Amino acid sequence: MKRISALLAALVLASPILSNGATTEPPMGKLLYLPPQPVNVPANMVAVPVAIWSNGQVFMQWMFVPAQALANMPALAPPVAAAVTAPASAATTAVSTATSAAAAMPAAATAAATAVTSAPSAAATAAVNMAGKLTGSTATHARSMAATCYSCHGTDGKSHSAIPPLAGMDKSYFIEQMKDFKSGKREATVMHQHAKGYTDEEFAQMADVFAAVKP
Amino acid sequence: MSMQRRDFLKASSAGLIAAGLPLRAHGAAVKAKVVIVGAGFGGATAAKYIRKWDSNIEVTLIDREAKFVSCPLSNLVLAGLKTLDDISRTYDGLKSHGVNVVVDEVTAIDTDKRVVKTAKGSFPYDRLIVSPGIDFLFDQIEGYDAKAQETILHAWKAGPQTLKLRQQIESMPDGGLIVVGMPLAPYRCPPGPYERVCLMANYLKRAKPKSKIIMLDANPDVASKKPLFMKAWNTLYKDWVEYRPNSKVLKVSADKMTVSTEFEDLKANVINIIPPQRAGHVAELAGVRTDSNGVWCPASFVTYESKSKPFVHVIGDSLLSNFPKSGHMANNMGKVCANAIVELLNGREPNPVPIVANTCYSAVSEDKAIHVATVFRYDPVKDQMTAQPGGGISADLSEVEAVYAEAWAEGIWGDVFS
């Protein structure tokens, strides 16, 4: 059975930090991956990170809730709303020193944790530490996303055809190219269409996978 | 996680003896057994990637065919631009990843005891993937019986039928008529029938210029890459192709070589009918062909586990979804499914927001091609895969895309089978 609640989300995010604030290897790493924030949030709705408790495991998910309903939850409303309605500014800059993989996930995590703990700096530290090393679902999401590229670019990005290889590609170069495909700055026959399907954070996650492959 | 350790350990040791599998020479003990039925783009990909991501999972891949023949590019064989060998691959590469490849016909699947039975053996599983492709609903077309099927070909599974249809076209006299009939969507490979007409016309234009093709489309309009196919027909094949929408084939006669729709009866030299389709027979054996019409298989987009049978996963053309039924999609589903199964068998939560992508090239002549590309992302709120904005079709018919189409095929065959 699944129990879903925003309150639980905040508790799950915060509890390991509260119990073991100094950890460098977050024990809840694999539970904590928060998928990229949805882009198309319906009018009058707010995307809220929630924890889904299923068969003894916890994973994070976004849920759309009416903005009004959120406003009626005084304990959570201000920080969570801040995290999800202003991702490009306040929430993201809160962890601007983290790697780009961190941008989507710990921003909301930090804010949510802040809602129930008075130790925001510990939360931020844990979030940054976590981002440094992909674990659990984050790693498998990156692995799975990168694998969508392999269909054309070869397994692990090792291409043996007219399609360019991605194996061993420099991380920042990969990210830049994908952003250029997305914006139309770099012309393409097909890559502009694919690039638009992924977030910039996901470009960074895929870039990590390819940079780690020996060409 | 409801994995029963005792059960799968028991199943593992029993399986080793029953199937006569070689014991692992080194490394950790076998953690779990996955059986995959169907060694096409979906099943073979899943087999390779499960082994790649966790080599302690034992993978058995079962198919009745001893080698793979690609449906993508098979229309080039009809046009005489490729041979069947060019588009065939062996399973040797999969064996090098430690996949146990079994060439046999699946006869039964016991989803309670979790065993797949074939003519020659019995294969216990912790998780089963079925990727059986499609079966044809011949009985929806009057007269399309077993005997008629010897003359009126579908050639919608690449292989002997591809070669036979090629021979029929080659031996047709100049001035002859080919009728191609195609079903209502959804069917395998949305642009495939239109590509086929382009490439048949390409051959006629070169070798039998007085001949013609009439395409009978059950759909109200060209169902895929419409502006591009229309452009190919109007510019490259104006004298060779006649396209008729809303023209469902109702009846065929192999003796008279006629095709009937609601509006007309056509007499042709070559009749090629792509019948309506449903999930392959193996999906029925597994009890997962459970949508409201008993045609396709509903499953989770996170794990591809069937909505009707636990521990049975469904990928590829058999799936009930808004996906185009393409090899590329099957390949992508194979990876998401492999990823989820590896996580589940290790007691972890699968990636909750999978992404899959489609890239589908169609050749329109010997040196020009077109494509459609779409990225789908799981929307957990709606429990559906949402096509992301930005996908679309080629700007025009182009030579450079013909090069990429060829590279795509090499790339994906390598990704699946090498």
Side-chain angles (χ1 to χ4, degrees):
Chain A
M1 290 303 292
K2 288 177 179 177
R3 281 183 282 131
I4 302 176
S5 88
L7 182 64
L8 180 60
L11 288 171
V12 165
L13 288 163
S15 55
I17 297 162
L18 292 172
S19 62
N20 185 12
T23 182
T24 50
E25 229 17 35
M28 73 303 189
K30 75 184 165 72
L31 308 178
L32 247 181
Y33 169 66
L34 182 65
Q37 195 176 320
V39 251
N40 301 317
V41 182
N44 302 323
M45 301 285 268
V46 179
V48 176
V50 297
I52 297 175
W53 187 274
S54 172
N55 293 327
Q57 304 260 329
V58 179
F59 64 95
M60 298 299 298
Q61 196 51 272
W62 291 94
M63 197 171 80
F64 295 152
V65 298
Q68 191 54 45
L70 196 68
N72 294 337
M73 296 169 68
L76 277 174
V80 171
V84 297
T85 54
S89 55
T92 311
T93 48
V95 286
S96 59
T97 52
T99 66
S100 42
M105 179 260 285
T110 307
T114 311
V116 291
T117 171
S118 58
S121 63
T125 308
V128 172
N129 286 341
M130 215 178 327
K133 187 182 173 191
L134 298 178
T135 53
S137 283
T138 309
T140 61
H141 184 58
R143 173 170 90 181
S144 174
M145 263 190 310
T148 65
C149 311
Y150 302 167
S151 315
C152 299
H153 291 270
T155 306
D156 296 325
K158 293 177 181 173
S159 175
H160 305 285
S161 73
I163 294 170
L166 302 171
M169 186 174 277
D170 177 73
K171 183 179 173 181
S172 56
Y173 179 79
F174 178 91
I175 295 169
E176 190 186 323
Q177 297 309 305
M178 291 304 286
K179 285 182 176 172
D180 286 352
F181 282 132
K182 197 178 191 175
S183 70
K185 190 174 158 194
R186 179 171 168 184
E187 277 190 32
T189 57
V190 64
M191 280 312 300
H192 59 301
Q193 294 162 337
H194 281 292
K196 290 189 183 94
Y198 301 84
T199 65
D200 289 359
E201 287 74 24
E202 288 169 339
F203 291 159
Q205 291 175 11
M206 287 188 272
D208 279 332
V209 173
F210 291 118
V213 179
K214 280 189 187 141
Chain B
M1 171 81 242
S2 45
M3 185 72 194
Q4 290 162 320
R5 177 165 289 266
R6 224 163 6 111
D7 275 8
F8 77 62
L9 288 177
K10 211 161 56 184
S12 298
S13 44
L16 285 172
I17 298 156
L21 301 173
L23 286 163
R24 299 173 64 80
H26 54 81
V30 170
K31 191 180 288 171
K33 292 163 96 75
V34 174
V35 173
I36 303 173
V37 182
F41 282 106
T45 299
K48 171 174 162 177
Y49 277 82
I50 289 173
R51 293 288 304 163
K52 177 176 165 61
W53 287 329
D54 188 344
S55 58
N56 291 324
I57 296 172
E58 190 180 281
V59 176
T60 300
L61 177 63
I62 307 173
D63 199 289
R64 62 179 159 215
E65 302 295 337
K67 68 172 181 179
F68 169 83
V69 185
S70 176
C71 282
L73 272 65
S74 66
N75 283 329
L76 291 164
V77 177
L78 296 180
L81 297 166
K82 291 261 182 225
T83 67
L84 212 57
D85 275 351
D86 293 335
I87 63 166
S88 300
R89 290 294 180 271
T90 70
Y91 296 126
D92 294 348
L94 292 170
K95 290 174 193 163
S96 74
H97 291 285
V99 176
N100 176 33
V101 179
V102 174
V103 179
D104 204 352
E105 182 84 36
V106 170
T107 52
I109 297 173
D110 185 332
T111 51
D112 292 329
K113 291 184 183 143
R114 289 194 243 167
V115 180
V116 175
K117 288 169 185 155
T118 67
K120 284 176 272 177
S122 176
F123 302 88
Y125 63 83
D126 296 299
R127 295 220 167 239
L128 169 68
I129 303 175
V130 292
S131 186
I134 49 155
D135 276 355
F136 298 111
L137 298 165
F138 292 106
D139 58 2
Q140 292 196 1
I141 297 170
E142 194 186 329
Y144 207 177
D145 54 24
K147 187 160 180 296
Q149 289 164 34
E150 291 169 17
T151 317
I152 299 175
L153 306 173
H154 55 79
W156 213 238
K157 291 181 182 180
Q161 287 233 345
T162 313
L163 288 181
K164 205 170 165 196
L165 181 57
R166 167 68 186 158
Q167 284 156 8
Q168 287 183 349
I169 299 167
E170 268 189 302
S171 53
M172 180 181 85
D174 193 7
L177 174 67
I178 303 173
V179 170
V180 178
M182 63 173 286
L184 275 173
Y187 52 87
R188 164 178 281 181
C189 190
Y194 310 109
E195 177 195 57
R196 171 169 290 182
V197 166
C198 287
L199 292 174
M200 281 178 169
N202 177 271
Y203 168 72
L204 296 183
K205 190 176 172 179
R206 283 181 281 123
K208 302 182 201 292
K210 286 183 271 178
S211 310
K212 207 171 93 171
I213 304 167
I214 292 177
M215 180 173 219
L216 302 174
D217 188 348
N219 296 283
D221 207 344
V222 178
S224 176
K225 306 177 188 170
K226 181 187 168 189
L228 300 167
F229 283 120
M230 296 294 279
K231 184 167 182 184
W233 297 335
N234 290 331
T235 58
L236 303 173
Y237 308 119
K238 204 166 176 40
D239 298 331
W240 290 275
V241 174
E242 222 174 280
Y243 172 73
R244 299 188 188 169
N246 291 312
S247 298
K248 189 176 180 178
V249 173
L250 300 175
K251 188 176 164 184
V252 292
S253 166
D255 296 333
K256 297 182 203 150
M257 284 303 282
T258 55
V259 186
S260 306
T261 68
E262 195 185 337
F263 312 106
E264 62 186 337
D265 303 306
L266 294 166
K267 189 169 166 55
N269 300 78
V270 176
I271 301 174
N272 170 213
I273 303 294
I274 303 161
Q277 296 150 29
R278 65 176 171 185
H281 177 59
V282 166
E284 189 186 12
L285 292 180
V288 295
R289 202 163 66 189
T290 52
D291 72 345
S292 51
N293 299 317
V295 173
W296 306 112
C297 308
S300 153
F301 293 114
V302 173
T303 60
Y304 291 98
E305 189 163 4
S306 161
K307 298 219 166 166
S308 52
K309 293 282 180 192
F311 307 108
V312 181
H313 300 247
V314 186
I315 55 174
D317 293 347
S318 288
L319 186 76
L320 174 72
S321 74
N322 56 328
F323 294 157
K325 297 188 183 298
S326 73
H328 197 109
M329 286 303 301
N331 166 266
N332 271 232
M333 287 183 239
K335 291 166 187 170
V336 172
C337 183
N339 198 21
I341 284 180
V342 166
E343 293 308 287
L344 289 169
L345 291 175
N346 281 286
R348 298 187 295 254
E349 198 70 40
N351 172 19
V353 279
I355 295 176
V356 290
N358 187 45
T359 315
C360 167
Y361 287 96
S362 304
V364 295
S365 71
E366 71 283 2
D367 64 353
K368 287 193 178 66
I370 57 179
H371 81 265
V372 60
T374 317
V375 176
F376 296 89
R377 178 185 292 269
Y378 183 59
D379 179 339
V381 177
K382 295 179 183 154
D383 186 28
Q384 68 185 27
M385 296 299 289
T386 308
Q388 298 300 289
I393 59 173
S394 310
D396 204 348
L397 324 179
S398 81
E399 279 91 0
V400 68
E401 291 217 33
V403 175
Y404 284 137
E406 189 101 4
W408 169 87
E410 288 302 329
I412 199 162
W413 293 335
D415 185 37
V416 181
F417 297 108
S418 296

